[in-house]
Structure formats: C-alpha cells, structure tokens
Amino acid sequence: AHSCSLMFIICCLEELPTMLLGVGHINKKWRQDMPFGITYGILRVALHSFLCFTVMTYPVPDDRLGVIRFNFGLTWFLHTHWFWGWVQQQRRIKSGFDKPTGS
C-alpha cells in the first residue's frame, strides 16, 4: 500500500501545469503559455514517460499491476497527444497564422 501512496504523491507533481493554466484562466493577464508548456513537457511527458517505463518494467508480481499499467499507458498517450497539439499551436502562433488566445 505504501508504494501506491508514494506513486500517487509523485503523480500529483504532474498537476503543476494545471495549476498554471488555472491561474491564467482566473486572470488573463496572468496567462503564460511558455511556463505552462515547459512544465507540461517536463512533468506530464518526461516524468510520466519515466514513471510509465518504471511501472511497465516493474519485476515484482502484484495483482494491481495490470490496472496500473493500463492507466499509465493510456494517460501517457493522452499527455503526449495534448503536448504535441500545444507544440503545433505554438508553431502557428510564432509563424503568425494563429493569435495567442490570452491576448
């Protein structure tokens, strides 16, 4: 039970980008796309990739591993897809084809 609690606490770090996004939603002047994207890339893509790899290669048999592996794999695909969309949006904004929504 303790290792699941520790994993939950580590995964809570992945919510920092959500907090940054929420602050920008409260007040448009506080919106910052780059800090959101950087923390999202580091925490939700890179950290989650590491955690996903760790869970997928965990050698000790455990009845909960099937569900945990499924959830980690599914959310990894989701986070990666969303991050790719954010990168594409930033490219459009930089090229002038899209306006930042915070402006």
Side-chain angles (χ1 to χ4, degrees):
H2 294 292
S3 35
C4 283
S5 300
L6 177 61
M7 187 63 75
F8 174 76
I9 291 169
I10 292 170
C11 289
C12 283
L13 290 172
E14 293 183 5
E15 294 305 320
L16 179 62
T18 305
M19 187 180 78
L20 294 175
L21 194 64
V23 166
H25 186 70
I26 291 169
N27 185 337
K28 296 288 184 194
K29 293 178 186 177
W30 297 340
R31 179 180 170 149
Q32 295 185 18
D33 285 348
M34 269 311 143
F36 165 77
I38 290 168
T39 58
Y40 194 96
I42 291 170
L43 296 173
R44 291 231 178 150
V45 176
L47 175 63
H48 198 84
S49 295
F50 170 76
L51 294 173
C52 194
F53 174 79
T54 302
V55 166
M56 296 299 180
T57 59
Y58 191 70
V60 180
D62 190 325
D63 293 338
R64 302 167 291 182
L65 277 178
V67 171
I68 293 170
R69 286 175 174 158
F70 176 78
N71 286 328
F72 265 91
L74 187 64
T75 54
W76 181 85
F77 280 110
L78 186 64
H79 292 163
T80 305
H81 174 72
W82 284 346
F83 185 67
W84 180 247
W86 179 84
V87 168
Q88 295 302 314
Q89 177 193 43
Q90 295 307 305
R91 286 182 174 172
R92 286 191 307 272
I93 290 169
K94 189 172 183 174
S95 68
F97 288 115
D98 200 0
K99 289 175 134 180
T101 53
S103 298

